[in-house]
Amino acid sequence: VQLQASGGGLVQAGDSLRLSCTRSGSTSSPRFMGWFRQTPGNDREFVATIEWSSGYTSYADSVKGRFTITREKVKNTVYLQMNSLKPEDTATYYCAADKGTLIHSREYYDSGYDYWGLGTQVTVSS
């Protein structure tokens, strides 16, 4: 399974960006696909996740109301729409997918995911 992420960039505070992540290499579906982010010297932190079949979503408190995760099944793609960006959103963003067996309540932890894309950098200037 390969995950290809794109959409990062340099923006100003208050701007928007949309990240995309396309999953390939498997005909089976994940249970969850998620986004995590990481800054230098820090652990990877949960941002948002979506249950592939139901569309159920969950967000970190720090992004709730500003970020929206969606998926497009026919394209095997998950999106992260990021609005009202803040300098503290600056990070490398990673998309992740599981093998289809992720236990509910574990979707907030990076250890629950089996596949990771290469990161895409998001930089928000003040």
Side-chain angles (χ1 to χ4, degrees), residues 10-110:
L10 171 63
V11 296
Q12 293 187 329
D15 285 350
S16 299
L17 275 177
R18 188 177 80 156
L19 306 182
S20 302
C21 177
T22 299
R23 180 176 175 272
S24 63
S26 175
T27 56
S28 62
S29 296
R31 182 161 185 200
F32 286 93
M33 286 190 71
W35 289 95
F36 290 74
R37 65 188 182 187
Q38 189 172 26
T39 53
N42 294 305
D43 293 335
R44 197 156 43 188
E45 67 168 353
F46 168 75
V47 175
T49 191
I50 187 165
E51 187 170 26
W52 195 253
S53 60
S54 69
Y56 158 85
T57 59
S58 186
Y59 299 91
D61 288 343
S62 59
V63 307
K64 205 171 291 184
R66 300 187 298 121
F67 290 13
T68 303
I69 187 170
T70 57
R71 90 280 195 233
E72 193 168 358
K73 288 185 175 182
V74 293
K75 293 186 177 181
N76 284 316
T77 298
V78 64
Y79 304 97
L80 185 68
Q81 177 66 42
M82 305 185 293
N83 298 329
S84 302
L85 282 161
K86 304 175 180 180
E88 51 264 42
D89 294 318
T90 295
T92 302
Y93 284 70
Y94 297 90
C95 67
D98 77 303
K99 292 180 179 178
T101 58
L102 183 56
I103 297 172
H104 218 302
S105 80
R106 297 295 301 172
E107 66 268 28
Y108 311 108
Y109 302 97
D110 58 359

